[in-house]
Amino acid sequence: MNVLIIGLGSIAKKHIDALTAIAPARFKIYALRSGKGNGDVEGITNVFSLEDAGVSFDFAIVSNPTFNHYETLRSLSACRIPLFIEKPLFHNLLNGQALVDELSRNSPLTYVACNLRFHPCILYLKEMLATGTHRVNEVNVYGGSYLPEWRPGADFRKIYSANRSMGGGVHLDLIHELDYVTWLWGMPAEVRSTLRNRSSLAIDVVDYANYLLGYDDFSVNITLNYYRRDARRTCEIVFDDGTVTADLIGQKIMAGNELLFSSSASIHDTYTAQMKYFLSAMENRDLPAMNNIREAFEVLKICLNNE
């Protein structure tokens, strides 16, 4: 299969590693580069325009900076190929609905990559909730870590996460939390949000985000930040008969002091699992679509407070 990849940063390499883990000889990877001075990457063929590539692509991976997604996807629309798009879909909502409608018509498959859907703890919760035997009263989701430690050796103020013009901000970086909440419980009936950047990091993007999602019988509170030094990523579900807490970093689920589930899977396994899903969806159109661009755009509206 001929794979076009746009963007060759750290996240792109994770998707390439996933393809390699699945079947190294099955995929020939082409990278769309902005200029010949970008250098070569072993095992990847550079192309400098879609028109002059000289090859038909089976699907494309969009993994360039978020603020480039809109123009990239608009240029790919005419190719009419499956699209694997790194989250978030866009960095704002401007003209987004029209492009979503166009891509939905033109592309046979779209998937916005939110790999936490394939995290063992989230999958466990999905199965638990599907039984319908526990009434949910309240959900508290937390995602906090220290941005300056995300990329050791790099000035954190220069990476995209810390720059509004490049689509940065904790609400966009950690849209995973909004994504998996809507995957587990569907779209909320009402939303309230607070987006701020008042922390000691002194960056020009949202470094604290809070969402209160209202469902018919319960509420979900989501808190995200860039400044917590002791990283924490949890989902606490308060049922009427007890509380269950999923620790996504520690990869365990507790009911009080009782261990319900644990896993030793690597986070890289989630990237491989989601790529396997995408490839399966390409080959089997009867497979239920997951997180296509229409779904992802609705979550993005919540993320950006419909602005």
Side-chain angles (χ1 to χ4, degrees):
M1 299 181 76
N2 294 323
V3 182
L4 175 67
I5 190 162
I6 302 169
L8 275 181
S10 59
I11 191 64
K13 292 173 183 175
K14 292 177 181 177
H15 298 318
I16 292 170
D17 287 345
L19 289 171
T20 302
I22 293 168
R26 183 182 177 190
F27 306 102
K28 185 169 178 57
I29 301 174
Y30 297 80
L32 183 63
R33 313 303 297 273
S34 59
K36 295 187 177 181
N38 287 327
D40 297 326
V41 176
E42 185 178 356
I44 297 176
T45 301
N46 289 338
V47 297
F48 301 98
S49 74
L50 293 175
E51 296 74 20
D52 298 331
V55 63
S56 295
F57 297 108
D58 293 288
F59 69 94
I61 297 173
V62 176
S63 54
N64 53 357
T66 306
F67 74 99
N68 287 326
H69 280 193
Y70 183 90
E71 291 301 328
T72 298
L73 291 169
R74 191 169 70 167
S75 69
L76 289 172
S77 179
C79 296
R80 298 179 181 272
I81 58 176
L83 300 173
F84 180 104
I85 307 159
E86 179 57 31
K87 63 79 192 167
L89 179 59
F90 306 127
H91 73 294
N92 61 42
L93 303 179
L94 183 64
N95 300 320
Q97 188 64 62
L99 184 55
V100 165
D101 293 342
E102 178 183 332
L103 288 167
S104 297
R105 292 191 300 268
N106 288 354
S107 177
L109 173 68
T110 59
Y111 169 69
V112 178
C114 287
N115 63 300
L116 285 192
R117 291 193 182 208
F118 299 88
H119 190 291
C121 289
I122 298 300
L123 293 173
Y124 184 95
L125 294 180
K126 182 78 169 173
E127 291 184 8
M128 171 187 283
L129 293 166
T131 66
T133 57
H134 304 273
R135 187 190 190 283
V136 177
N137 283 323
E138 174 187 323
V139 180
N140 296 294
V141 172
Y142 189 96
S145 58
Y146 192 52
L147 181 63
E149 294 177 350
W150 279 26
R151 293 175 177 82
D155 183 347
F156 77 94
R157 291 185 174 87
K158 295 181 179 180
I159 64 176
Y160 85 90
S161 296
N163 288 274
R164 186 183 300 271
S165 63
M166 298 174 70
V170 73
H171 57 326
L172 289 165
D173 257 336
L174 301 189
I175 199 172
H176 292 286
E177 272 67 15
L178 278 170
D179 174 75
Y180 80 65
V181 164
T182 57
W183 187 49
L184 294 176
W185 289 287
M187 298 299 289
E190 58 180 321
V191 178
R192 298 178 185 176
S193 63
T194 300
L195 306 176
R196 295 167 63 91
N197 66 332
R198 307 286 178 83
S199 80
S200 57
L201 293 179
I203 51 180
D204 76 342
V205 297
V206 172
D207 56 19
Y208 169 86
N210 178 265
Y211 299 92
L212 182 61
L213 311 184
Y215 291 84
D216 289 343
D217 299 318
F218 63 96
S219 295
V220 178
N221 182 72
I222 302 175
T223 299
L224 310 170
N225 70 63
Y226 269 156
Y227 47 76
R228 185 183 178 111
R229 288 179 178 267
D230 54 328
R232 177 182 157 204
R233 205 164 203 176
T234 56
C235 177
E236 177 192 71
I237 307 175
V238 182
F239 295 105
D240 58 357
D241 58 350
T243 300
V244 169
T245 302
D247 176 354
L248 303 191
I249 296 175
Q251 298 196 84
K252 61 183 179 180
I253 298 179
M254 304 292 294
N257 294 321
E258 177 188 358
L259 179 66
L260 295 182
F261 172 80
S262 65
S263 171
S264 59
S266 164
I267 192 65
H268 295 291
D269 294 333
T270 64
Y271 289 95
T272 303
Q274 77 172 352
M275 188 61 72
K276 284 181 178 178
Y277 157 76
F278 179 77
L279 295 170
S280 296
M282 281 180 56
E283 295 167 357
N284 179 7
R285 297 300 165 80
D286 293 329
L287 192 69
M290 180 164 59
N291 210 28
N292 61 36
I293 55 172
R294 287 197 183 279
E295 293 177 20
F297 193 62
E298 292 305 308
V299 174
L300 188 66
K301 289 177 183 178
I302 298 174
C303 173
L304 297 175
N305 196 24
N306 252 334
E307 295 179 354

